[in-house]
Amino acid sequence: MTGWIFLAMLAAVTVVAVRYFARLPKGGFELVLAAVLTGIAGYAWQGNPDQDGAPVQSEEKGVTLDTKVIATRRMMTNTYGDAAKVADFADLLDRWGKTREAVIAVQTGLRKEPKNPELWTSLGNALVVHGGGMLSPAAELAYARAQALAPDHPAPAYFRGLALAQSGRIEEAAQSWGGLLIRSPKDAPWREDVEARLALALRIMQAEKR
């Protein structure tokens, strides 16, 4: 019973905190509430509060952006404003395994800011995660839209490169990251990450030619 009480308290605190302290786009609070209720329903169906916790695989097909990638995204993008909150919320949903809801959350943000390149990049990321790490045509279009809106913005090329690499298209990933490095300032905080990924891609390409 203690487990259920703790779960109810945690859910209540989460909903109240988001409702009164987070500035989500229109429709964002409803998505949070839906995600919380979905989690509670799933726990009620399968959970056992008397057993020790253990990590489980999400039943949804998807991969989660690791903390280093998320940190790089925050270096490349505005960390304030509604677009940043939407991106962070989508990351949170992905960590919960709610990849479809993450896509919907970003689409909701885009209805408010349809010309925001960072939201289009976030949509590409959400679609890639929902697709199990593969670069789908929809994700490709999202990245292309972001790049068209802001040709010098580093995020679209960086994340498109990640999606290409995860899809096995290493040479195209290297081209995306190489072009990004050419356009980036020498002191850009994300250069080290991009250089490391480009170097690894080049090593893989060399190994494949042997």
Side-chain angles (χ1 to χ4, degrees):
M1 182 61 70
T2 302
W4 292 108
I5 294 174
F6 177 77
L7 178 64
M9 292 176 62
L10 180 61
V13 169
T14 300
V15 171
V16 170
V18 172
R19 176 67 179 83
Y20 291 100
F21 297 102
R23 296 179 58 190
L24 296 174
K26 185 178 180 180
F29 177 70
E30 287 78 6
L31 285 170
V32 176
L33 183 59
V36 172
L37 292 176
T38 299
I40 292 175
Y43 188 68
W45 180 255
Q46 296 181 340
N48 188 338
D50 297 322
Q51 292 183 347
D52 293 334
V56 297
Q57 295 291 332
S58 167
E59 293 184 359
E60 291 197 40
K61 184 181 179 183
V63 294
T64 303
L65 298 177
D66 62 39
T67 54
K68 184 176 181 180
V69 171
I70 293 174
T72 300
R73 174 182 66 74
R74 289 173 176 163
M75 290 180 192
M76 292 179 170
T77 59
N78 186 359
T79 56
Y80 300 97
D82 289 343
K85 293 180 186 299
V86 169
D88 287 339
F89 182 43
D91 289 342
L92 178 61
L93 289 171
D94 282 334
R95 288 197 293 273
W96 286 350
K98 302 300 178 183
T99 60
R100 180 177 179 275
E101 287 81 356
V103 173
I104 294 172
V106 182
Q107 290 173 331
T108 301
L110 277 168
R111 283 197 287 272
K112 182 179 180 181
E113 299 183 62
K115 294 186 178 181
N116 188 308
E118 295 182 358
L119 282 178
W120 280 105
T121 301
S122 293
L123 178 60
N125 295 345
L127 289 167
V128 169
V129 173
H130 184 58
M134 302 300 290
L135 181 62
S136 65
E140 182 76 86
L141 285 172
Y143 290 133
R145 177 62 173 162
Q147 199 75 70
L149 288 167
D152 294 328
H153 200 297
Y158 173 76
F159 284 103
R160 180 174 178 270
L162 282 181
L164 286 166
Q166 290 171 170
S167 301
R169 298 159 62 180
I170 304 300
E171 184 174 354
E172 293 175 78
Q175 292 172 352
S176 185
W177 290 327
L180 173 57
L181 288 174
I182 291 173
R183 300 191 304 272
S184 299
K186 297 297 183 181
D187 59 348
W190 60 81
R191 282 193 70 96
E192 183 178 353
D193 186 355
V194 179
E195 288 170 347
R197 295 182 187 279
L198 176 59
L200 177 58
L202 294 175
R203 288 198 298 271
I204 294 172
M205 291 166 57
Q206 290 174 352
E208 290 177 344
K209 292 178 181 179
R210 293 174 184 172

